[in-house]
Amino acid sequence: MKKYLLIGVSAFVLGAGSMAYVSSHALASAEPRAKTYRMLGLFGDVLDTVEHQYVTEVDDTKLIQSAIDGMLTSLDPHSGYLNPEDFQEMRDQTRGEYGGLGLEVTSEDGVVKVITPMDDSPAAKAGVKPGDYITAVNNESVLGLSVNDAVKQMRGKPGEMVTLTIAREKTDPFDVHVTREIIKTKTASAKMDGEYGVLRINSFGEKTTDEAQAAFAQLKAKNPNMKGLILDLRRNPGGLLDQAVGISDLFLEGGEIVSQRGRDPRDVERYNARPGDITNGMPMTVLIDSGTASAAEIVAGALQDRKRAQIVGLTSFGKGSVQTVIPLRGGMDGALKLTTARYYTPSGRSIQKTGITPDLEVAATRDEAQSIANRAFQFSEASFKNALNSQEGKVRVAAHEPAEAPPETFDAKKDFQLARAEDVLHYGSVAATPKLPKPTAKLAEIINTKARIAEVKPPIAK
């Protein structure tokens, strides 16, 4: 079976000879197992009671699937159950195209929250932003729904309009009208910006490494005097582990890219680069922000630890766990999406909750600088109540004034983070790049911000 991480299957069958005696271990394990059987009996009793006494007839299959999903989502934000339809949709999305809005979403306290809109997607064009809450789809509340159920309402026939009710910090809830399109998951593109190439990767699907290699080759052929490359991973929510390894391998001559470690600390799997750098050692910087997650963080961490590139932007999302998608009965009963390991950068650091810290911290706008100072608006892995902790006991950086933000004279139509990444290439390193004055973000404004959030929240809960 084809193996994926994020999407993959690992099956192990353990056998043992019969014992001529009852060991003390067997006696010790009998009581916990008996408790498990009692709890399964309790589940059966509850299901039977609901079947016979609930106010309307219920669908047993839906109830049991919801119970399975609830069990898995209680473990961490990224584990869950995919019914057969959801499993097929997930495979379709990873492989190629589907009818939808182009949103990467998650669930936070029963509310659908936007991780990021995909580049040039209908949602991005309509102005949906990372961190937005979606409270209703076509005027039907999605509060309390699983992410899968909410996504089902957003996907469908291309050409149809969908109305999203958005709750955003500092504003009252409002409606956004978005027309579904065929979402073609082309994940890599390249362009020139002055003397430097910009390779943009917006997610990690099955073809990302091939697409990125082809895009860079075409760009280099047209611009043989390119002086450096900027790898743009901003708002990249991640995807397939093998593609993160593949992208990293494009720029490394060898050595470790990432390792993953499961429950048993002795169970370590390492992924290494092969000889060959497609840029032939061209100077590189990497752009990240708080929407850079998972597989994208693997790439940023590998290039940073291996001293191949310096990182510009904001601290990344901080998702340092690996999910394995395990089909049930070949997918006929759906699949489990189960967190099976943490991943570690080449230097041995886990970025779970903490994220990748940039070498040069740069806010995209002055408003973003203020939100970093407030911290109230920082959406990250650490925002989830049941997120896995970092094994090292590290915590995410607290509220602070970012090192840089656009000066008032900077053209708002231009990309300030990109401009600073180009400055790093021009001067040769972050250390050699002239620093700009710190922005005037005020930590004290968090008090007023909390009051504004309190005013917005009641309409959300209706």
Side-chain angles (χ1 to χ4, degrees):
M1 179 171 289
K2 192 171 184 179
K3 180 180 179 184
Y4 296 87
L5 287 174
L6 185 81
I7 301 173
V9 179
S10 297
F12 299 90
V13 179
L14 304 180
S18 61
M19 296 293 182
Y21 62 93
V22 179
S23 69
S24 59
H25 174 75
L27 291 172
S29 64
E31 184 177 347
R33 185 161 295 277
K35 182 179 179 181
T36 299
Y37 288 143
R38 286 198 301 272
M39 296 307 294
L40 288 173
L42 173 61
F43 176 79
D45 292 341
V46 171
L47 179 62
D48 183 69
T49 300
V50 172
E51 286 179 324
H52 292 93
Q53 297 190 31
Y54 190 66
V55 65
T56 61
E57 290 188 7
V58 296
D59 182 337
D60 287 356
T61 299
K62 189 173 182 179
L63 285 178
I64 294 172
Q65 288 179 345
S66 297
I68 295 171
D69 188 54
M71 173 178 65
L72 293 168
T73 55
S74 71
L75 299 173
D76 68 81
H78 308 294
S79 294
Y81 171 72
L82 303 172
N83 65 33
E85 183 180 329
D86 295 333
F87 181 40
Q88 184 59 50
E89 286 185 2
M90 184 204 69
R91 289 192 290 186
D92 290 342
Q93 180 175 354
T94 304
R95 289 171 179 167
E97 58 185 50
Y98 58 92
L101 309 180
L103 282 172
E104 295 284 348
V105 297
T106 187
S107 178
E108 184 178 274
D109 295 331
V111 182
V112 177
K113 190 166 188 175
V114 176
I115 296 176
T116 186
M118 298 177 184
D119 290 350
D120 298 320
S121 66
K125 295 172 185 175
V128 180
K129 297 182 178 181
D132 283 348
Y133 291 95
I134 299 174
T135 60
V137 178
N138 290 331
N139 298 316
E140 292 187 13
S141 174
V142 294
L143 298 176
L145 292 184
S146 69
V147 172
N148 292 334
D149 288 339
V151 167
K152 283 182 185 178
Q153 295 191 32
M154 288 184 269
R155 287 189 182 177
K157 186 177 180 181
E160 293 181 346
M161 181 173 288
V162 179
T163 300
L164 302 179
T165 301
I166 301 292
R168 181 179 296 167
E169 309 292 1
K170 296 186 178 182
T171 67
D172 293 329
F174 58 93
D175 288 343
V176 174
H177 303 291
V178 190
T179 301
R180 292 191 189 104
E181 296 178 7
I182 291 292
I183 304 300
K184 295 183 179 180
T185 55
K186 183 178 179 181
T187 56
S189 59
K191 67 177 183 179
M192 289 296 296
D193 192 86
E195 299 177 313
Y196 304 107
V198 180
L199 178 60
R200 166 70 182 160
I201 299 177
N202 58 55
S203 65
F204 290 85
E206 289 186 357
K207 301 176 182 178
T208 299
T209 302
D210 291 340
E211 290 177 357
Q213 189 167 6
F216 175 78
Q218 292 176 4
L219 189 68
K220 187 69 168 65
K222 294 179 181 178
N223 303 275
N225 297 321
M226 187 190 311
K227 292 188 175 181
L229 180 67
I230 298 167
L231 181 61
D232 188 355
L233 300 177
R234 291 175 294 179
R235 303 176 302 283
N236 183 320
L240 301 180
L241 175 60
D242 67 327
Q243 296 299 306
V245 171
I247 290 296
S248 303
D249 193 7
L250 294 179
F251 309 110
L252 295 172
E253 288 287 357
E256 184 173 307
I257 292 171
V258 66
S259 64
Q260 63 179 53
R261 308 175 195 178
R263 179 187 297 184
D264 186 342
R266 297 170 297 179
D267 183 15
V268 180
E269 186 169 359
R270 302 184 187 278
Y271 298 84
N272 297 312
R274 299 162 297 180
D277 174 355
I278 64 170
T279 72
N280 293 318
M282 183 182 295
M284 284 185 65
T285 55
V286 179
L287 281 171
I288 65 172
D289 62 11
S290 59
T292 303
S294 192
E297 292 174 289
I298 288 175
V299 176
L303 298 182
Q304 185 181 50
D305 280 7
R306 301 295 309 283
K307 309 299 183 185
R308 179 63 184 88
Q310 292 195 295
I311 313 297
V312 177
L314 299 176
T315 300
S316 62
F317 189 79
K319 181 182 177 294
S321 61
V322 178
Q323 283 68 48
T324 302
V325 177
I326 306 170
L328 303 173
R329 287 211 308 146
M332 290 187 292
D333 286 336
L336 302 183
K337 186 176 66 169
L338 191 65
T339 298
T340 54
R342 288 180 172 89
Y343 71 75
Y344 293 78
T345 68
S347 65
R349 57 177 168 151
S350 166
I351 56 87
Q352 175 63 18
K353 280 191 172 181
T354 57
I356 298 290
T357 302
D359 299 297
L360 177 62
E361 186 182 36
V362 179
T365 65
R366 299 180 73 83
D367 285 344
E368 187 172 63
Q370 182 59 64
S371 74
I372 293 168
N374 289 342
R375 189 170 172 79
F377 303 128
Q378 294 304 294
F379 175 48
S380 70
E381 179 78 3
S383 305
F384 295 117
K385 292 180 180 178
N386 64 333
L388 294 174
N389 289 320
S390 170
Q391 284 189 326
E392 292 81 4
K394 296 178 182 178
V395 296
R396 192 173 180 86
V397 63
H400 65 283
E401 294 181 3
E404 294 186 0
E408 293 183 358
T409 55
F410 187 79
D411 186 351
K413 295 180 181 180
K414 295 183 179 180
D415 187 334
F416 182 66
Q417 291 174 322
L418 178 63
R420 292 302 282 157
E422 292 173 351
D423 287 342
V424 172
L425 289 175
H426 175 75
Y427 287 100
S429 69
V430 167
T433 302
K435 304 304 182 292
L436 300 179
K438 280 192 172 184
T440 56
K442 299 178 182 178
L443 299 180
E445 287 194 15
I446 190 171
I447 299 174
N448 294 330
T449 300
K450 285 183 175 179
R452 288 195 293 270
I453 294 173
E455 293 174 358
V456 171
K457 278 189 175 181
I460 298 175
K462 287 183 179 178

